[in-house]
Amino acid sequence: AGGIAHDFNNMLAAIIGYTELVYGELAGHKQMREDLQQVLQACERAKNLVRQILSFSRRSEERKVEVELSGIVKETVKLLKASLPANISVRQVMDREGDQVYADPTELHQVVLNLCTNAFQAMREQGGELEIRVGLRLVDDSATGSLLALEPGEYVSLTVCDTGTGIAPEIIDQIFDPYFTTKRKEEGTGLGLAVTYGIVAAAGGGISVSSTPGAGSCFEVLLPRSSGERRVAVPEQRMERARAGESVLLVDDQAYVLQSARRLLESLGYRVEARDSGGAALECLEGEKNDFSVAILDLDMPGMGGLELADRIRERRPGMPILFLSGVIDESKLAAGRDRGHGLVAKPVSLGDLARAVRQAIEQEAWGKAPAGGSASLP
């Protein structure tokens, strides 16, 4: 999982970087900018899904917020429609009045994705209709079935129905078991519904299924309705740009990451020297003129890695701020970096986050001391 996450985050870093560059150049093209915002939104989901993969092997902090379930459903279906065969239609019935739940948006995205994917696969040969409904449901003491032991109250209901092959009665009680699957080996692992069940249960909800062989299946997810106020969008923060004469030494062994990061930093006004190895970076430091404002180093590089390169740079330039970029945060390397007074930003990083991290690095006396109201490293 760690190796996959490292490579995939590097790819996402380039996709996000070049997309943001093009977005900035299309000031008069409203529709194109809206399309690129969809690309960036999908990248953000992909970044969060990679974090979910890593969470299987280590505990991660929950990121629960108040969110509208209908918005999550619409976003997920919009992404899925591009891969749907022409013989499958999608019908959405959304009651957006009070459909707010308190949950991790990325996990909800995964629930909708898993249920819709199962429905598509059940209809892929004969075609059919996928119906997705979001509404409210009152659960009382008489509620029974496989919806866990839900407390009485108001719940937000997500129902996903298909007109596919259905589920045989003798296996319907096993479908939420880990690794249970009726698909061919190359088509599925049997984890989709198990993960869905776990996410829903952890959010205090329940899930039930009804099915008729040859006529289709319906899954219903119930999540406790949130009674809090609707989440207010955070206003966009001011972009931190370079001051006069500031420069960056940028080092990354992946060419597409190196070039996209270089152009992003140049768009912020920095003079950038980009190098693809530790040895080349050290050569760049020869001479008194090359006294950079900050060095940004890939933590995981072949040969001379980021930690060793940082030590070599500090021997030559003791006061130079150093910021690490990493596709996967290795806890031991992160701890070692912090001990040396460096900061770390996880790939893929947006232009705004990169701008703030670089400004923070330059203005701090040392990475071991966080400025007021801030943190010495970004999550």
Side-chain angles (χ1 to χ4, degrees):
I4 292 171
H6 176 271
D7 291 345
F8 191 63
N9 279 336
N10 274 333
M11 296 173 197
L12 279 176
I15 294 170
I16 291 173
Y18 284 115
T19 301
E20 289 192 316
L21 286 168
V22 176
Y23 182 87
E25 294 171 1
L26 294 174
H29 301 270
K30 182 173 182 291
Q31 185 58 58
M32 289 173 128
R33 284 168 70 96
E34 288 178 357
D35 291 343
L36 290 175
Q37 284 176 338
Q38 292 296 322
V39 175
L40 291 172
Q41 190 174 54
C43 286
E44 183 65 23
R45 287 296 185 195
K47 180 171 70 173
N48 289 331
L49 288 174
V50 171
R51 288 177 179 167
Q52 272 200 346
I53 292 172
L54 293 176
S55 72
F56 281 103
S57 59
R58 69 167 188 261
R59 297 184 65 85
S60 60
E61 182 182 354
E62 290 183 337
R63 301 169 184 267
K64 290 185 177 181
V65 295
E66 193 171 76
V67 62
E68 292 178 349
L69 184 57
S70 58
I72 297 288
V73 171
K74 288 183 177 180
E75 179 186 327
T76 308
V77 172
K78 187 173 184 179
L79 293 173
L80 283 170
K81 277 185 174 179
S83 60
L84 271 183
N87 63 352
I88 295 178
S89 61
V90 179
R91 180 169 179 261
Q92 300 180 62
V93 181
M94 302 289 170
D95 180 3
R96 300 187 61 179
E97 187 64 34
D99 71 331
Q100 294 160 282
V101 297
Y102 186 69
D104 184 326
T106 301
E107 290 187 342
L108 291 184
H109 181 273
Q110 188 70 49
V111 167
V112 179
L113 183 69
N114 287 349
L115 293 178
C116 289
T117 299
N118 275 357
F120 295 159
Q121 291 177 338
M123 297 185 289
R124 63 186 169 188
E125 294 182 2
Q126 302 298 326
E129 181 182 79
L130 169 67
E131 183 178 276
I132 307 170
R133 299 192 298 269
V134 173
L136 295 181
R137 178 173 165 185
L138 183 64
V139 173
D140 57 27
D141 292 321
S142 63
T144 58
S146 53
L147 284 168
L148 303 179
L150 293 180
E151 295 290 332
E154 270 195 312
Y155 288 78
V156 179
S157 170
L158 165 67
T159 306
V160 178
C161 296
D162 65 71
T163 57
T165 55
I167 305 170
E170 60 268 20
I171 65 170
I172 198 166
D173 291 336
Q174 300 173 262
I175 61 173
F176 295 108
D177 294 344
Y179 303 110
F180 177 83
T181 180
T182 59
K183 301 170 189 173
R184 294 191 297 269
K185 183 178 180 181
E186 64 274 14
E187 292 181 334
T189 62
L191 285 174
L193 287 178
V195 168
T196 298
Y197 185 94
I199 291 172
V200 172
I207 184 169
S208 66
V209 58
S210 60
S211 183
T212 302
S217 304
C218 279
F219 288 82
E220 183 182 21
V221 171
L222 293 184
L223 295 168
R225 182 186 179 191
S226 174
S227 58
E229 293 297 323
R230 183 163 298 190
R231 183 176 57 173
V232 178
V234 178
E236 185 174 348
Q237 294 179 321
R238 180 174 60 89
M239 188 69 70
E240 298 285 354
R241 302 188 64 85
R243 309 293 191 264
E246 290 181 334
S247 59
V248 176
L249 174 61
L250 176 66
V251 189
D252 198 299
D253 64 299
Q254 295 289 338
Y256 52 85
V257 176
L258 186 67
Q259 295 308 317
S260 64
R262 176 183 63 80
R263 290 187 57 190
L264 286 173
L265 289 164
E266 288 175 344
S267 74
L268 295 169
Y270 293 99
R271 179 179 68 83
V272 182
E273 290 291 338
R275 298 293 185 270
D276 61 3
S277 69
L282 293 176
E283 290 178 4
C284 191
L285 286 174
E286 299 298 331
E288 294 299 323
K289 292 184 179 180
N290 288 337
D291 194 8
F292 296 94
S293 307
V294 61
I296 304 177
L297 315 177
D298 184 19
L299 186 60
D300 303 291
M301 293 186 291
M304 188 187 302
L307 287 174
E308 182 183 352
L309 177 58
D311 291 342
R312 301 278 290 275
I313 290 174
R314 281 288 174 88
E315 290 173 0
R316 292 165 169 76
R317 303 286 192 272
M320 184 184 295
I322 292 175
L323 177 66
F324 288 125
L325 290 176
S326 178
V328 175
I329 297 179
D330 182 304
E331 294 298 337
S332 62
K333 290 182 179 179
L334 177 56
R338 282 177 172 161
D339 289 343
R340 291 170 170 84
H342 309 319
L344 186 143
V345 179
K347 295 178 187 175
V349 59
S350 67
L351 178 59
D353 287 340
L354 181 62
R356 286 188 291 275
V358 172
R359 174 53 43 201
Q360 185 185 43
I362 292 174
E363 293 183 354
Q364 279 181 226
E365 293 180 1
W367 268 102
K369 178 182 178 183
S375 169
S377 63
L378 297 175

